[in-house]
Amino acid sequence: MRSFTIKDYCQIGLSLTALTVAALINAESAKAATFSIGGYTWDAANSVTTGRIIQGREQAEPFITPFLSSEPEVRDRTIGKLLGGSTFGFSESFALGKDNSTLSIIELGWGSGMSLTNEDGKDLVIYETGGFGEPEAFAVAVKKVGASDFTDYLYEFSSGFYQSDPYTTHFATAIDLSTFGLNLGDQIESIRIKNLILSDRVTGDGQGFLGGGNRPTMGPTYANQVYELGKFDPDITFVAALHRPNPVPEPAATLSLLALGAFGISCLGKRKQQ
Ligand SMILES: [Ca+2]
Ligand SMILES: [Ca+2]
């Protein structure tokens, strides 16, 4: 058996470079389904993939909604689908709460070991479905990777909407993880969404963390009206990250491949010099 020469190692490095590049190209092609909905652009591959009901299973339920129903990459990841909905060929929303005072809580994520990093600006967008001009009230909490508990719940105004048909509006609420006190580069592993109830109050002027002294309002787009009775059962439809979720920690295997790839490229440089 002959021993490996520098040339052999270069060949291996170059082959692995090719493999690494192929893997990166594959990862890019998996990111092809991009949508601009209600003022936010995201890739369907970055939407949440897992969901479970934490509280209020009795009244919470999936139902059909027209949110991008013809797009399987979106349809199969709508929140109703993640929480048990099985109506073939349709997107499904998930109704939380019921009667202004009953609470439902759901938990969503990107699968075991996956996390979303707090980058500059907004990090994720949540779509809630209803009639034109009629958003409903919900709040969001996040769990930082390695933390033992979730943050406090935050209520924010919706900031855009998308009309699927004349009867169906999807309200977009975009969240910046920095609002929860996270630093840039911090990562979250899951989020929780719950309906507001009539007695909830917020820390800010119409929006903020729950537990304050002010009534939540619908925000300036809706003349800062408070939510009417019957608007405390939001219909959560889709949750997309605005950048790509990552494994945590970065798998050692990928790093080794990249290192070998770099070695292969340095061999290329050496060959050219010869
Ligand atoms: Ca609604
Ligand atoms: Ca951010």
Side-chain angles (χ1 to χ4, degrees):
M1 196 183 94
R2 75 185 178 88
S3 59
F4 278 96
T5 64
I6 288 288
K7 192 181 166 195
D8 290 329
Y9 281 116
C10 282
Q11 287 294 351
I12 292 167
L14 284 169
S15 304
L16 286 168
T17 305
L19 278 175
T20 308
V21 170
L24 289 173
I25 289 169
N26 274 336
E28 280 308 305
S29 63
K31 284 191 65 184
T34 300
F35 300 89
S36 289
I37 302 294
Y40 299 93
T41 300
W42 37 262
D43 194 297
N46 296 342
S47 58
V48 292
T49 58
T50 59
R52 64 191 184 110
I53 302 165
I54 302 296
Q55 185 176 329
R57 178 178 290 276
E58 313 73 38
Q59 70 275 2
E61 57 184 4
F63 65 95
I64 292 171
T65 185
F67 186 82
L68 299 174
S69 264
S70 61
E71 306 287 350
E73 306 93 333
V74 174
R75 183 178 72 216
D76 295 342
R77 289 181 169 197
T78 47
I79 304 305
K81 282 280 189 289
L82 299 184
L83 295 173
S86 57
T87 309
F88 183 77
F90 290 93
S91 292
E92 292 183 76
S93 189
F94 197 80
L96 304 179
K98 184 183 186 179
D99 53 8
N100 309 307
S101 61
T102 305
L103 188 60
S104 303
I105 303 174
I106 56 173
E107 186 173 312
L108 307 167
W110 291 271
S112 180
M114 295 297 286
S115 70
L116 181 67
T117 302
N118 180 22
E119 294 185 9
D120 206 21
K122 304 286 187 181
D123 301 290
L124 56 92
V125 58
I126 300 165
Y127 294 93
E128 191 269 331
T129 296
F132 184 76
E134 297 182 333
E136 290 184 307
F138 65 89
V140 183
V142 300
K143 189 175 180 204
K144 200 171 145 180
V145 169
S148 56
D149 209 353
F150 282 78
T151 62
D152 289 342
Y153 277 92
L154 174 73
Y155 165 71
E156 288 204 345
F157 305 140
S158 63
S159 50
F161 67 88
Y162 167 70
Q163 203 70 23
S164 269
D165 61 38
Y167 316 101
T168 315
T169 307
H170 310 284
F171 300 92
T173 302
I175 302 287
D176 181 351
L177 293 174
S178 293
T179 314
F180 292 98
L182 271 68
N183 296 318
L184 289 180
D186 283 350
Q187 297 168 311
I188 61 161
E189 57 187 30
S190 49
I191 74 174
R192 285 187 177 180
I193 300 176
K194 70 175 186 177
N195 59 295
L196 292 194
I197 56 173
L198 185 58
S199 59
D200 276 326
R201 296 294 180 267
V202 293
T203 50
D205 185 11
Q207 65 180 356
F209 287 97
L210 302 197
N214 303 318
R215 284 193 77 171
T217 74
M218 292 156 66
T221 310
Y222 304 95
N224 297 310
Q225 298 171 75
V226 297
Y227 287 98
E228 295 171 9
L229 292 177
K231 298 299 180 195
F232 294 89
D233 52 349
D235 309 289
I236 308 302
T237 301
F238 197 71
V239 178
L242 296 173
H243 35 263
R244 195 173 175 183
N246 290 304
V248 125
E250 202 73 35
T254 307
L255 291 175
S256 318
L257 259 184
L258 286 171
L260 275 164
F263 177 66
I265 287 164
S266 74
C267 289
L268 262 185
K270 284 203 174 69
R271 276 184 169 185
K272 277 178 184 160
Q273 284 164 22
Q274 282 166 6

